[in-house]
């Protein structure tokens, strides 16, 4: 009888593991095209290392660059700059967007140019220049900086099956740059540009449409045809992507997660190594699946000086020492002002 029970137990365990392989593990590895041995090695390393943190938080800087901006020969700037500060003990995170037009008096340029200058001073890691600048502005250290082109965001969105976006107001952009056009040779406006329209309401956007929504900047609408509106839409899509990733993790969608892991391996594994992710997951445990995110803005602590001051449209801090922003961010992260 005992042998029979033992046999049944082994059989059930084998059946469950086989089912898990075919339902979750096998689709994940098939789609992600990862080497099992490499993944196991990364996991083992991560389990034996401590997470990089600061006062119980891990701060990620997400930099979004747009290659369409540099196609006329100008330098690549960071269109989107968002800090995700994650409490490793509670799973609660704070998203803090940094305006791309924020003026850095010491550098005599806008903060979105720091990545471009970093390519000159530190070609191997230009993102460090951006991270240093953001750290000065917010008063927090950056543990990881992730750089992504907006085209990669489009691939992520498609892997997730789309993101849910609420368009606040209908607008049309009649001179949206058409992809795949050689601007050094083509001069016909009908070839260079296309018309895109977004209607008010809730939409499930796939990658191409979300990318157009993020990039549009020439609407005749006075509100939507500005760089500020464009930055707001980019932040909106980034928040939606983070929410969609969280959704797929909770649903244990092996196919979607496999596609995401393949994108991660191709684009982000150098900046955010697998062992570091494992160390973070080990520290957070079940909180990793139940992450709660809230948004925080530093905009009330910024002002628009007259254009004549810097010969361009910028933001600058009310307090040039950044201390008011440091205190504001500290309250948002810890509920108190750090000494």
């Amino acid at each position: 009888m005992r042998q029979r029970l033992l046999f049944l137990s082994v059989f059930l365990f084998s059946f469950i593991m086989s089912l898990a392989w075919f339902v979750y593990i096998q689709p994940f590895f098939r789609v992600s095209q990862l080497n099992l041995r490499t993944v196991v090695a990364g996991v083992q390393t991560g389990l034996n290392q401590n997470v990089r943190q600061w006062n119980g938080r891990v701060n990620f800087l997400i930099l979004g660059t747009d290659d369409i901006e540099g196609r006329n020969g100008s330098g690549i700037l960071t269109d989107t700059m968002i800090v995700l500060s994650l409490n490793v003990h509670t799973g609660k995170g704070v998203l803090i967007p940094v305006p791309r037009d924020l003026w850095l008096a010491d550098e005599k340029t806008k903060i979105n140019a720091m990545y471009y200058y970093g390519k000159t001073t530190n070609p191997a890691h230009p993102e460090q220049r951006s991270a240093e600048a953001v750290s000065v502005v917010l008063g927090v250290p950056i543990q990881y900086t992730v750089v992504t082109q907006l085209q990669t965001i489009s691939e992520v969105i498609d892997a997730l099956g789309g993101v849910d976006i609420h368009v606040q107001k209908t607008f049309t952009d009649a001179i949206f740059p058409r992809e795949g056009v050689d601007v050094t040779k083509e001069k016909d406006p009908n070839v260079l540009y296309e018309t895109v329209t977004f209607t008010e309401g809730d939409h499930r956007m796939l990658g191409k449409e979300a990318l157009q929504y993020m990039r549009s900047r020439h609407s005749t609408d006075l509100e939507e045809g500005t760089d500020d509106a464009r930055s707001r839409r980019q932040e909106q899509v980034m928040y939606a992507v983070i929410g969609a990733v969280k959704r797929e993790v909770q649903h244990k969608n092996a196919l979607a997660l496999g596609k995401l892991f393949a994108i991660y391996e191709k684009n982000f594994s150098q900046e955010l190594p697998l062992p570091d992710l494992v160390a973070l997951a080990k520290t957070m445990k079940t909180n990793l699946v139940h992450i709660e995110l809230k948004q925080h803005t530093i905009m009330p602590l910024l002002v628009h000086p007259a254009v004549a001051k810097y010969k361009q449209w910028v933001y600058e801090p009310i307090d040039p020492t950044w201390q008011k922003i440091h205190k504001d961010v500290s309250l948002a992260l810890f509920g108190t002002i750090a000494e």
Side-chain angles (χ1 to χ4, degrees):
M1 184 67 177
R2 292 179 61 183
Q3 289 181 335
R4 185 178 180 184
L5 287 174
L6 179 61
F7 172 78
L8 286 174
S9 299
V10 172
F11 174 79
L12 285 173
F13 176 77
S14 301
F15 176 76
I16 292 171
M17 291 303 296
S18 298
L19 188 62
W21 169 261
F22 281 104
V23 174
Y24 295 112
I25 303 175
Q26 189 266 348
F28 176 88
F29 279 95
R30 175 170 52 82
V31 172
S32 64
Q33 297 182 338
L34 294 176
N35 183 289
L36 180 59
R37 185 174 299 176
T38 301
V39 173
V40 170
V43 170
Q44 289 177 335
T45 301
L47 290 175
N48 292 312
Q49 73 180 45
N50 295 322
V51 64
R52 291 166 56 187
Q53 59 178 296
W54 167 74
N55 292 340
R57 307 192 76 92
V58 179
N59 299 320
F60 302 87
L61 172 60
I62 304 169
L63 300 176
T65 65
D66 191 354
D67 55 358
I68 205 170
E69 291 295 304
R71 68 178 187 170
N72 61 357
S74 61
I76 299 295
L77 307 178
T78 48
D79 260 19
T80 305
M81 308 180 75
I82 298 176
V83 170
L84 166 59
S85 182
L86 195 60
N87 186 314
V88 299
H89 303 298
T90 66
K92 294 182 178 180
V94 180
L95 290 161
I96 308 174
V98 179
R100 52 171 276 172
D101 293 322
L102 182 60
W103 185 258
L104 302 177
D106 291 343
E107 302 287 349
K108 296 181 174 58
T109 189
K110 294 191 291 188
I111 197 168
N112 69 334
M114 298 311 294
Y115 182 77
Y116 169 74
Y117 290 123
K119 282 184 169 292
T120 301
T121 58
N122 188 1
H125 296 285
E127 74 281 356
Q128 289 184 1
R129 193 84 182 269
S130 296
E132 291 166 1
V134 169
S135 184
V136 169
V137 170
L138 300 183
V140 300
I142 302 297
Q143 279 72 49
Y144 297 99
T145 302
V146 177
V147 183
T148 177
Q149 291 187 357
L150 293 187
Q151 184 59 45
T152 304
I153 298 297
S154 174
E155 295 174 11
V156 170
I157 291 171
D158 284 339
L160 292 166
V163 290
D164 296 322
I165 298 294
H166 178 75
V167 179
Q168 295 181 353
K169 183 180 182 182
T170 298
F171 67 96
T172 296
D173 184 343
I175 50 173
F176 183 85
R178 196 186 300 272
E179 291 189 47
V181 178
D182 187 347
V183 297
T184 63
K185 298 178 180 179
E186 185 59 60
K187 303 302 178 185
D188 184 353
N190 293 322
V191 178
L192 287 170
Y193 305 107
E194 62 180 320
T195 298
V196 295
T197 298
F198 302 94
T199 56
E200 179 181 347
D202 295 324
H203 300 268
R204 172 63 66 91
M205 293 186 182
L206 292 176
K208 181 179 180 179
E209 185 181 12
L211 207 59
Q212 292 173 336
Y213 181 71
M214 295 172 75
R215 282 173 165 165
S216 176
R217 67 189 306 175
H218 294 297
S219 171
T220 54
D221 184 275
L222 295 179
E223 293 181 8
E224 294 296 337
T226 66
D227 276 344
D228 280 352
R230 183 173 186 250
S231 296
R232 171 179 52 77
R233 291 194 299 270
Q234 290 176 352
E235 292 164 10
Q236 181 186 10
V237 172
M238 294 292 280
Y239 297 147
V241 168
I242 293 172
V245 171
K246 176 183 174 183
R247 176 193 68 209
E248 298 306 324
V249 169
Q250 291 175 332
H251 291 170
K252 299 180 179 64
N253 187 333
L255 288 176
L257 295 178
K259 292 177 182 178
L260 289 176
F261 209 94
I263 295 172
Y264 154 78
E265 182 69 18
K266 178 182 177 182
N267 298 280
F268 310 124
S269 58
Q270 296 299 314
E271 302 154 332
L272 190 58
L274 178 59
D276 291 45
L277 286 179
V278 173
L280 176 61
K282 178 188 67 173
T283 303
M284 294 189 66
K285 299 177 182 176
T286 57
N287 289 324
L288 187 64
V289 182
H290 303 288
I291 290 176
E292 298 178 13
L293 299 176
K294 69 176 183 179
Q295 301 176 24
H296 182 75
T297 179
I298 62 172
M299 295 304 291
L301 300 175
L302 305 177
V303 293
H304 267 311
V307 173
K309 184 174 182 179
Y310 301 112
K311 304 296 188 293
Q312 54 188 310
W313 181 262
V314 302
Y315 289 105
E316 64 180 357
I318 295 173
D319 173 12
T321 69
W322 306 105
Q323 290 303 308
K324 286 188 176 181
I325 292 180
H326 293 179
K327 292 178 180 179
D328 177 71
V329 170
S330 179
L331 283 171
L333 300 185
F334 302 105
T336 184
I337 298 175
E339 297 295 334

